[in-house]
Amino acid sequence: MAQSALSLEFPDGTIREFDAGTTGKDVAGSISKSLAKKSVAIALNGELMDLAEPIASSGKIEIITRTDDRAVELIRHDCAHVLAEAVQAIWPDTKVTIGPVIENGFYYDFDRAEPFTPEDLETIEKKMRQIIARNDPFTKQVWSRDDAKAHFEKMGESYKVELIDAIDADQNLNIYHQGEWHDLCLGPHGPSTGNVGSAFKLMSVAGAYWRGDSDNQMLSRIYGTAWADEKQLKNYLFMLEEAQKRDHRKLGREMDLFHFQEEGPGVVFWHAKGWKVFQGLTNYMRRRLDEHGYDEVNAPQILDKALWQTSGHWDWYRENMFTTVTEDDRQFAIKPMNCPGHVQIFKNGLRSYRELPIKMAEFGNVHRYEPSGALHGLMRVRGFTQDDAHVFCTSEQLEAECLRINDLILTTYSDFGFGDIVVKLSTRPEKRVGSEEGWDRAESIMQKVLDKIEADSDGRIRTEMNPGEGAFYGPKFEYVLRDAIGRDWQCGTTQVDFALPERFGAFYIDENSNKVEPVMVHRAICGSMERFIGILIEHFAGHFPLWLAPVQAVVATITTEAEEYGQKVVDTLKAAGMRVESDFRNEKINYKVREHSLAKVPVIIAIGAREAEEGTVSIRRLGSKHQTNMTLEEAVASLTEEAIAPDLKRKRDAS
RNA sequence: GCUGUUGUAGCUCAGGGGUAGAGCACGUCAUUGGUAAUGACGAGGUCGGUGGUUCAAUUCCACUCAACAGCACCA
């Protein structure tokens, strides 16, 4: 151990010397008494450390107070320990496992014969508040691995023993104490249980597998949220309420877009209005595909088992496939993916290198037998439509094609108002087909493309690696977008496939008359049209932009006298290409406005005697309490302009 | 698939061993009313499904299906 003095650099640039063995608390105290009181931890070279820990090396130091963004991590971690103590105080035979910090809070997994009930949460919270009020300091002891193991064995904490077993033999372990209670823990922690404060709440109980493995025992997990102050907690709870309000399943019902029912778990009944949105989205995508040189095809839903054996799906994906046996004992599978079908189209006839790249697109209706617990509204279904395409190209063309696809994906997302994108590269999984050389080649090209995507984005696109998460036939890019309330959704994907063309014996004739295997790139932009619409519903909270809205305007009469003119308004708007409905019912205008506002119709056009006489319309926009009056001609002009899809607008403005 | 919870009218929900109730929505009539609910009357379910216990079950029990939350899986 170095006995020399510590040299610590403060955020303002000043450097000061301290004796060896100085703790964070000492450093804070050397600045001011009040800082020593307010501090909860320090960060040494950016890494959080306990206040009471002797500072081991020189470096950049920051004193972390409760208001620091990083302090909330400690609060959550402290809170998880307080939760664990509370649970063991109430139910002493409960075993503890782990309790990490997560986004917005923390959880702790327990092994207990009886599951926790929502009422239990209240009891636990009460106990937690007592522990916090006790304000015991968190003190760290370093134990040898053997001592720790023996200790937890004696206590019967078998999960802790298992955790210790997984730690390197020569490593010492931290034991954090709070009063009588203690836990094996990496740390760091705040100064005392009082540091948790009062801005926390236990949220829910759920089952979770020990160590995240479905072969392991199911534990009882308690989720909690914790914040630096009450205001932050309140904001967070408010956000959750907001998210609930825009739940696409709720809006789908209220807006009459789609429904599900018991007989069809995971398959969508699209209602007329929902289908309009679906078609609006499909039409948009068709135009974009056309722009980018794709040809749309359509391959069969049901194909012989033999084909799926060749593709490898029968071996790797069978548990997810719907299969059927006919009277004559032939076994078929409903397609879970479109690629084998597209390879058949590629193979039909002899292909020349002159034709490449061939870009084959399909709005492919696929079915996958997803685990029942995975189903979630439109976000996870068993029958869905992929905006799928396969690019058959030479390996020389691969990089350029990936970049071209990237361009199409990013412009599509921005047309829907998604700007915050992460591109992840997933590499070879354990369960895979194809040679190691093939994987090496594919991954190195993908890595190069990924770097280029990031470099060309002016820092707008973030990139990440996802080791072992690739498809069984090749590495892939995953495009993750962030919606209006900050949730992430994986939508687009670009997957390089060196395996499938080989399996099906697909080839083209190169310039030397040789047979050459093409590279196949699978790609999707929306991923699933169903899911993408679900995301759009939540992103827009049901307030679709005019070009996507299933009903763009409702013409509502105030009195029956205005009906004739109202019909003229409807006809005029329809003739101009608008999706308009009329509401000439014998109801008050207030009633009509309320009803169509709840149905999230973007434009309500009220027609009374005055408008009929003047040839005007009174327009009320969704979300606004005001009306604007204008002539019918003006209304048609401004609404049709607004209703132009972004890609068409772009094309028009470019010419 | 796993753990837990739920399943009563189109929707939101109350009730409870002796064959069900509210509000909204729906229908009829009256009302012609300027921007988020006009009034009156009426119709509507057999309490997710199957089996069991019981004189009797929608209510208790078992199984099953579906949904919800989380986990695992994933577009």
Side-chain angles (χ1 to χ4, degrees), chain A residues 539-551:
Chain A
H539 177 62
F540 292 123
H543 296 123
F544 286 117
L546 205 57
W547 72 275
L548 261 184
V551 176

Side-chain angles (χ1 to χ4, degrees), chain A residues 232-352:
Chain A
Q232 287 178 14
L233 174 64
K234 237 176 125 179
N235 281 345
Y236 173 66
L237 296 177
F238 180 74
M239 262 292 294
L240 287 183
E241 270 177 48
E242 280 302 297
Q244 251 175 32
K245 277 187 204 157
R246 38 174 95 206
D247 189 314
H248 75 283
R249 294 165 299 185
K250 180 171 168 280
L251 290 174
R253 188 174 56 240
E254 288 170 3
M255 296 171 71
D256 194 19
L257 300 177
F258 58 84
H259 86 268
F260 291 91
Q261 65 188 48
E262 279 199 23
E263 292 84 350
V267 289
V268 190
F269 287 79
W270 283 105
H271 297 194
K273 286 176 188 167
W275 194 241
K276 263 282 183 286
V277 177
F278 195 106
Q279 302 224 286
L281 178 61
T282 309
N283 293 340
Y284 165 86
M285 289 307 303
R286 280 216 167 91
R287 294 193 299 267
R288 298 304 316 278
L289 291 175
D290 195 47
E291 202 181 286
H292 277 250
Y294 287 81
D295 293 311
E296 188 176 333
V297 299
N298 198 276
Q301 283 297 326
I302 299 179
L303 291 164
D304 194 288
K305 166 188 169 187
L307 187 108
W308 302 107
Q309 283 172 325
T310 306
S311 71
H313 288 89
W314 200 258
D315 290 333
W316 300 118
Y317 205 70
R318 193 168 166 190
E319 63 210 17
N320 285 299
M321 288 163 75
F322 286 95
T323 57
T324 175
V325 179
T326 51
E327 287 294 309
D328 54 355
D329 283 335
R330 267 187 85 173
Q331 197 162 15
F332 292 88
I334 301 174
K335 69 175 177 183
M337 295 180 190
N338 304 297
C339 6
H342 290 187
V343 176
Q344 304 317 304
I345 296 176
F346 178 89
K347 277 181 63 184
N348 194 262
L350 216 49
R351 300 290 181 179
S352 155

Side-chain angles (χ1 to χ4, degrees), chain A residues 87-377:
Chain A
V87 166
Q88 288 200 313
I90 302 169
W91 299 281
D93 53 345
T94 304
K95 289 184 193 177
V96 291
T97 67
I98 54 165
V101 172
I102 52 172
E103 200 178 359
N104 302 321
F106 60 92
Y107 65 78
Y108 208 111
D109 287 345
F110 299 95
D111 181 15
R112 177 171 172 243
E114 288 280 297
F116 298 103
T117 66
E119 294 76 57
D120 289 341
L121 293 188
E122 279 178 43
T123 317
I124 298 167
E125 257 188 43
K126 211 171 276 171
K127 187 80 200 170
M128 286 172 73
R129 294 196 195 275
Q130 288 169 13
I131 295 166
I132 290 164
R134 209 175 63 204
N135 200 19
D136 286 317
F138 283 105
T139 52
K140 183 173 111 175
Q141 292 179 358
V142 179
W143 292 10
S144 77
R145 192 168 162 282
D146 290 342
D147 287 352
K149 189 174 166 181
H151 176 76
F152 284 109
E153 251 166 12
K154 208 171 131 199
M155 286 176 76
E157 293 286 7
S158 49
Y159 295 92
K160 290 288 171 193
V161 173
E162 210 179 315
L163 289 173
I164 293 168
D165 278 333
I167 295 170
D168 286 341
D170 54 345
Q171 212 167 328
N172 286 331
L173 306 173
N174 298 339
I175 306 294
Y176 275 87
H177 293 258
Q178 59 199 61
E180 299 290 300
W181 196 82
H182 59 279
D183 194 5
L184 169 76
C185 177
L186 263 173
H189 274 282
S192 65
T193 58
N195 183 49
V196 172
S198 58
F200 73 92
K201 185 171 162 55
L202 299 183
M203 304 296 286
S204 58
V205 193
Y209 298 109
W210 166 235
R211 309 196 122 188
D213 187 332
S214 59
D215 291 335
N216 285 342
Q217 182 175 358
M218 180 68 77
L219 304 169
S220 285
R221 175 172 298 179
I222 295 178
Y223 281 95
T225 187
W227 301 85
D229 58 52
E230 299 281 350
K231 201 176 152 196
Q232 287 178 14
L233 174 64
K234 237 176 125 179
N235 281 345
Y236 173 66
L237 296 177
F238 180 74
M239 262 292 294
L240 287 183
E241 270 177 48
E242 280 302 297
Q244 251 175 32
K245 277 187 204 157
R246 38 174 95 206
D247 189 314
H248 75 283
R249 294 165 299 185
K250 180 171 168 280
L251 290 174
R253 188 174 56 240
E254 288 170 3
M255 296 171 71
D256 194 19
L257 300 177
F258 58 84
H259 86 268
F260 291 91
Q261 65 188 48
E262 279 199 23
E263 292 84 350
V267 289
V268 190
F269 287 79
W270 283 105
H271 297 194
K273 286 176 188 167
W275 194 241
K276 263 282 183 286
V277 177
F278 195 106
Q279 302 224 286
L281 178 61
T282 309
N283 293 340
Y284 165 86
M285 289 307 303
R286 280 216 167 91
R287 294 193 299 267
R288 298 304 316 278
L289 291 175
D290 195 47
E291 202 181 286
H292 277 250
Y294 287 81
D295 293 311
E296 188 176 333
V297 299
N298 198 276
Q301 283 297 326
I302 299 179
L303 291 164
D304 194 288
K305 166 188 169 187
L307 187 108
W308 302 107
Q309 283 172 325
T310 306
S311 71
H313 288 89
W314 200 258
D315 290 333
W316 300 118
Y317 205 70
R318 193 168 166 190
E319 63 210 17
N320 285 299
M321 288 163 75
F322 286 95
T323 57
T324 175
V325 179
T326 51
E327 287 294 309
D328 54 355
D329 283 335
R330 267 187 85 173
Q331 197 162 15
F332 292 88
I334 301 174
K335 69 175 177 183
M337 295 180 190
N338 304 297
C339 6
H342 290 187
V343 176
Q344 304 317 304
I345 296 176
F346 178 89
K347 277 181 63 184
N348 194 262
L350 216 49
R351 300 290 181 179
S352 155
Y353 72 97
R354 294 172 190 275
E355 290 178 77
L356 303 185
I358 290 175
K359 304 182 188 181
M360 216 181 274
E362 177 173 354
F363 293 94
N365 198 216
V366 296
H367 288 81
R368 299 180 184 176
Y369 190 73
E370 300 291 350
S372 56
L375 303 181
H376 181 91

Side-chain angles (χ1 to χ4, degrees), chain A residues 294 388-391 398-410 413 423-427 442 446 449-450 453 469-471 473-480 490-497 520-525 527:
Chain A
Y294 287 81
D388 205 358
H390 295 93
V391 176
L398 177 59
E399 190 183 329
E401 287 306 317
C402 284
L403 287 165
R404 189 88 204 273
I405 291 166
N406 178 66
D407 179 52
L408 177 56
I409 291 179
L410 295 182
Y413 291 170
V423 184
K424 297 179 182 174
L425 171 55
S426 300
T427 54
M446 298 285 271
V449 170
L450 187 74
I453 289 172
E469 296 292 314
Y473 46 74
K476 63 182 179 185
F477 291 132
E478 288 175 358
Y479 287 78
V480 179
Q490 201 236 297
C491 293
T493 174
T494 301
Q495 314 183 354
V496 174
D497 188 344
M520 190 175 178
V521 182
H522 312 247
R523 62 83 302 197
I525 299 170

Side-chain angles (χ1 to χ4, degrees), chain A residues 410 452-462:
Chain A
L410 295 182
K452 203 154 179 334
I453 289 172
E454 187 169 28
D456 291 351
S457 78
D458 295 327
R460 274 184 34 250
I461 311 294
R462 283 171 295 141

Side-chain angles (χ1 to χ4, degrees), chain A residues 9-30:
Chain A
E9 183 184 338
F10 288 83
D12 65 357
T14 57
I15 297 173
R16 285 174 55 195
E17 305 292 320
F18 292 87
D19 293 333
T22 302
T23 66
K25 185 105 182 159
D26 298 334
V27 175
S30 77

